[in-house]
């Protein structure tokens, strides 16, 4: 109300001092004083100074100091009004940017989860299909050996098929938004299909050779060394750069070589098998659900402490290496020196990714122990039924996405806090996808076993098609919202200009 009164007063002052106005609009009696009838009314001079101003209103002459103070009050009110408008616009801009940032982080979270689910469903269905084809041959296979052979065949097919499909499914030339969004989902699924294939192959090797600690350690060392060696080669670096830049160098061979770096999920699975081996052995001999939760809580705290500190140490080393000025140009270094640098960089990257997967699995094991073992009194998520898994997946999706969105707005005081927040958010996104993958697995197995008219493979094909239909609709809706946000950002930028 004070603001309205002030605006009315400024309006009246402006009407009084206007040269070309009609009747004074602040005169309650409807007086018809004209500017031409006001003797002594003067405007500002060239220097912006007020001249001699007298106003005749109802036969009385207003003193000159009162008009000067009224003019100054009017100018101050105008300045306050402009400041208020500016503050309102800035507040609207901050609110819009916060909403845009929240949607962006939520969409990134959803994309990672959907890609994980899609990759797992396709990999599992392809594995069941290969099992059926292998069983058609008159060859006596051991149960574990047939699964291992099927995993190897799936790896060979994905190593050829995934780069080819990834290269051909480039949606830049498509104008249909629906088709472009579906191709986007497929392109996001292909790397996860490749990663799940390698991870399940390693898990099958563990089962075939026996889940002993030393065999796990040997397999972990071999897979880690192979991945470091691959990423250290010049061929891998050139192919990755060519794919990132696009153009002539973006070929099927370049994508096939770059896809070898997607085996980090398998390496992380190996590292997690080593890290959690002792905890798994202890949990087997503990029957109390509360004590099992305590064990996983202690394990999670220990993993968090070690992983965060070690990754922070690696980040500090990498930052220090960037600031070091070498007396010799990199092109003039010897082959051995350049190879050492490449191996060190790739080793640091592989170790960081492996530790992040170890942290993510530790977080998932902790949540599973609290929800399924302690609250629902189940031995594992797979033994709890699809209903509880669906409830848990829905709650986890909502809670994890909200937590990631809140952490996205935080400012960090140190590198350690930033590293801790980043690996925590990545773990939440991965675990959301893993929980839905477990839900799909339990629901599909239950549907196939409870329906005698549907064969095992046909059940997986039907469930995979249904899941893809649902994810396609969801991805299309998210992309529509993203395009709407992009248009709103462009309009806001134009208004600011």
């Amino acid at each position: 109300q004070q603001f309205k009164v002030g605006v009315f007063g400024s309006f009246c002052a402006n009407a009084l001092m206007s040269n070309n106005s009609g009747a004074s609009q602040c005169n309650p009696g409807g007086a018809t004083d004209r500017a031409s009838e006001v003797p002594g009314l003067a405007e500002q001079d060239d220097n912006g100074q007020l001249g001699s101003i007298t106003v005749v209103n109802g036969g009385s002459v207003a003193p000159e100091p009162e008009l000067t103070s009224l003019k100054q009050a009017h100018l101050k009110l105008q300045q306050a009004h402009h400041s208020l408008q500016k503050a309102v616009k800035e507040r609207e801009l901050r609110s819009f940017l916060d909403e845009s940032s929240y949607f962006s982080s939520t969409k990134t979270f959803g994309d990672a989860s959907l890609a994980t689910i899609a990759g797992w469903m396709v990999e599992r269905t392809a594995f069941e299909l290969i099992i059926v084809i292998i069983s058609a041959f008159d060859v006596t296979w051991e149960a574990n050996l047939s699964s291992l052979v099927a995993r190897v065949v799936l790896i060979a097919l994905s190593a050829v098929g995934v780069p080819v499909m990834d290269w051909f499914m480039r949606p830049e030339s498509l104008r249909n938004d629906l088709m472009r969004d579906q191709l986007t989902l497929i392109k996001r699924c292909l790397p996860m299909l490749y990663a799940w294939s390698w991870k399940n192959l390693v898990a099958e090797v563990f089962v075939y050779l026996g889940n002993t600690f030393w065999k796990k350690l040997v397999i972990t060392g071999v897979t880690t060394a192979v991945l470091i060696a691959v990423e250290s080669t010049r061929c891998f670096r050139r192919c990755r750069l060519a794919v990132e830049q696009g153009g002539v160098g973006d070929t099927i061979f370049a994508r096939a070589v770059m896809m070898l770096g997607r085996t980090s999920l398998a390496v992380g699975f190996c590292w997690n098998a080593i890290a959690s081996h002792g905890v798994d052995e202890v949990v087997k001999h503990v029957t109390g659900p509360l004590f099992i939760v305590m064990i996983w809580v202690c394990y999670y705290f220990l993993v968090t402490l070690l992983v965060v500190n070690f990754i922070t140490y690696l980040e500090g080393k990498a930052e220090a290496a960037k600031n070091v000025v070498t007396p010799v140009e990199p092109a003039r270094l010897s082959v051995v020196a350049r190879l050492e640098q490449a191996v060190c960089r790739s080793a640091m990257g592989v170790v960081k990714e492996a530790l992040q997967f170890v942290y993510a699995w530790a977080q998932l094991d902790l949540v599973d122990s609290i929800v399924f073992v302690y609250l629902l009194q189940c031995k594992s998520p797979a033994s709890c039924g699809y209903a509880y898994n669906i409830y848990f997946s829905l709650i986890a999706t909502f809670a994890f996405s909200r937590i990631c969105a809140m952490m996205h707005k935080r400012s960090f005081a140190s590198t350690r806090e930033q590293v801790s927040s980043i690996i925590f958010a990545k773990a939440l996104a991965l675990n959301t996808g893993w929980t839905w993958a477990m839900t799909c697995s339990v629901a599909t197995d239950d549907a196939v076993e409870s329906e005698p008219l549907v064969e095992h493979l046909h059940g997986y094909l039907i469930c995979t098609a249904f899941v893809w239909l649902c994810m396609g609709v969801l991805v299309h809706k998210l992309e529509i919202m993203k395009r709407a946000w992009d248009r709103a950002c462009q309009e806001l930028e134009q208004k600011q200009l």
Side-chain angles (χ1 to χ4, degrees), residues 169-186:
M169 291 186 178
R170 288 177 289 182
E172 290 81 3
S173 59
L174 294 177
R175 296 183 179 180
N176 191 320
D177 293 339
L178 179 61
M179 294 300 299
R180 185 167 60 248
D181 296 341
Q182 302 310 309
L183 289 182
T184 301
L185 176 61
I186 296 175

Side-chain angles (χ1 to χ4, degrees), residues 308 311-312 315 414-424:
V308 171
I311 292 181
T312 304
E315 292 288 344
S414 62
T415 305
R416 188 178 184 278
E417 292 182 359
Q418 184 178 6
V419 169
S420 177
S421 177
I422 290 174
I423 65 173
F424 183 77

Side-chain angles (χ1 to χ4, degrees), residues 7 15 63 66 127 154 175 180 208 210 224 241-242 250-251 268 287 372 388 401 430 462:
V7 172
E66 293 182 3
F127 171 74
L154 182 57
R175 296 183 179 180
R180 185 167 60 248
Y208 184 75
T224 305
L241 183 61
D250 186 6
T251 61
T287 58
F372 293 101
Y388 287 122
S401 61
L430 288 173
I462 294 172

